[in-house]
Amino acid sequence: FEYAVGPDGCIYIACRADYGVPGGGLARFDPQSEQITVFRDEEQSVQSVAADDRFVYGGTSVSGGRGSIETTTQGKLFVFDPQTQQRVYTCIPVTEAKAVTSLAVSPVTKLLYGSTDSGHLFAYNRDERQVVQQWRLRSKGTPLMGVPETYGIIHLTTGSDGAIYGVTNSDVFKLDISTNQICYLDPPPIRDLYQIVEGAPGVFYIGARGHLLEYHLKDTPHYR
């Protein structure tokens, strides 16, 4: 579902299991040796992943491979240490959530930010090992076509200014790290938004159905 480059230079990939198989895993690809290792989760799939200079972070979903039986009810956040190759911390960041749908780290605050299928954002402090703040968005994310079933994905990205930007089904927003407030940006011309990345500073690209939107944040905000 997502991938991130870890502090060890390896690529970490969020995965779910094959049809009928429960759970999923965190896969690691070493570009030097081309070796692939999967750290299996027997109960939950790994829906999202991010990394900083110390850890790899994963967000899970209660769904495993399609057709498998769900044995848990809440999505989790975990901290993976590449040195020990183990999860060193696990928590439930939002009690209502079945999936942690996206993760992003701000180099300014050093916090990890996550989104959930329930329409929440949260901030996690790696040193305190706890969720330190939550926000409720005014709209939920866009469901993918059957993977995962019915979950709304709220995708996050870290901007060049250190702020966290994201998209719900119908909103483009910014989490202002200086005020800890959610700012809703100009309404997009199309709904069903999924994924957001920044190109040049202040220029974001957003998927929307079969379209690619280009949003300019600076000067006069506009889409094209």
Side-chain angles (χ1 to χ4, degrees), residues 1-2 12-17 23-28 38 40-41 44-49 59 63:
F1 293 111
E2 292 188 340
Y12 290 84
I13 308 164
C15 307
R16 77 185 303 179
L26 179 68
R28 182 185 65 193
V38 178
R40 193 75 168 88
D41 188 322
Q44 298 189 334
S45 60
V46 181
Q47 181 71 38
S48 52
V49 64
S63 296

Side-chain angles (χ1 to χ4, degrees), residues 154-219:
I154 298 173
H155 191 252
L156 305 177
T157 193
T158 305
S160 56
D161 57 359
I164 303 299
Y165 294 83
V167 290
T168 67
N169 177 269
S170 55
D171 289 312
V172 181
F173 64 88
K174 170 185 176 180
L175 177 57
D176 191 327
I177 57 175
S178 62
T179 62
N180 282 331
Q181 298 293 319
I182 294 174
C183 305
Y184 291 97
L185 305 180
D186 288 27
I190 304 174
R191 296 172 62 91
D192 300 327
L193 307 178
Y194 179 71
Q195 291 206 337
I196 177 172
V197 296
E198 186 179 27
V203 179
F204 291 87
Y205 297 89
I206 303 165
R209 299 177 188 168
H211 301 272
L212 180 66
L213 305 180
E214 181 178 311
Y215 178 67
H216 290 242
L217 179 65
K218 298 183 178 181
D219 301 322

